[in-house]
């Protein structure tokens, strides 16, 4: 995106129309998609730095995450027979938060504290819908 002096990602399902422009487009030779999305969880790309994410999970989620890794940085650690931890080095994105919310009561975000607080607020707001 020349107006923002950088690359952007767009959801194809949200494009309403395409129009020819007068500006020529060429892919820069220095663009490497693998490197560009290295720390992304999903397609969102942010200017912030990636963070270390630590999530406690149960045995069932551990087995799922072991069989279906969710990110190249994923590491799983056994704490005891019933407790495991998922470690990621990723950008804190909308997709990450929604993935973690989808795991529901099987997980607890431990770090970073900002993500833990975001999860806590989101879950509290969701619970208010059922009061």
């Amino acid at each position: 995106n020349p107006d923002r002096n950088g690359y952007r990602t767009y959801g194809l399902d949200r494009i309403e129309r395409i129009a020819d422009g007068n500006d020529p487009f060429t892919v820069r030779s220095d663009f490497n998609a693998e490197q560009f999305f290295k720390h992304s969880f999903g397609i969102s790309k942010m200017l912030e730095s990636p963070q270390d994410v630590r999530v406690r999970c149960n045995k069932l989620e551990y087995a799922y995450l072991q069989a279906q890794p969710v990110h190249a940085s994923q590491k799983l650690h056994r704490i005891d027979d019933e407790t495991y931890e998922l470690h990621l080095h990723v950008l804190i994105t909308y997709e990450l938060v929604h993935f973690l919310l989808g795991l529901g009561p099987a997980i607890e975000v431990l770090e970073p504290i900002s993500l833990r607080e975001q999860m806590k607020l989101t879950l509290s707001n969701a619970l208010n819908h059922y009061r």
Side-chain angles (χ1 to χ4, degrees):
N1 184 328
D3 296 334
R4 294 185 180 177
N5 195 25
Y7 290 101
R8 302 276 299 167
T9 56
Y10 298 96
L12 293 177
D13 59 325
R14 293 188 297 269
I15 294 175
E16 294 178 5
R17 64 183 153 72
I18 297 175
D20 281 339
N22 294 327
D23 299 329
F25 173 78
T26 54
V27 177
R28 291 180 10 196
S29 62
D30 65 341
F31 180 73
N32 179 320
E34 188 174 312
Q35 192 62 29
F36 185 77
F37 289 108
K38 180 178 180 177
H39 300 294
S40 293
F41 192 97
I43 66 163
S44 295
K45 177 76 171 140
M46 309 185 60
L47 297 177
E48 291 84 19
S49 297
Q51 296 186 49
D52 291 323
V53 174
R54 194 164 62 104
V55 178
R56 183 172 294 142
C57 65
N58 63 27
K59 194 172 189 174
L60 182 62
E61 290 309 317
Y62 167 81
Y64 167 76
L65 293 164
Q66 193 173 38
Q68 298 288 325
V70 296
H71 193 266
S73 70
Q74 172 177 309
K75 292 183 179 132
L76 292 167
H77 301 280
R78 180 179 178 266
I79 306 303
D80 60 39
D81 286 342
E82 296 300 319
T83 309
Y84 300 82
E85 283 188 7
L86 165 67
H87 292 224
L88 301 168
H89 187 68
V90 294
L91 296 167
I92 307 301
T93 62
Y94 175 85
E95 291 98 336
L96 174 66
V97 171
H98 280 265
F99 168 75
L100 294 171
L101 288 169
L103 297 176
I107 63 116
E108 175 186 1
V109 173
L110 303 173
E111 294 176 341
I113 296 300
S114 59
L115 177 57
R116 181 180 173 87
E117 291 301 316
Q118 183 178 358
M119 295 287 291
K120 187 176 172 181
L121 179 63
T122 301
L123 291 166
S124 176
N125 288 340
L127 185 59
N128 285 336
H129 291 294
Y130 297 94
R131 291 193 175 156

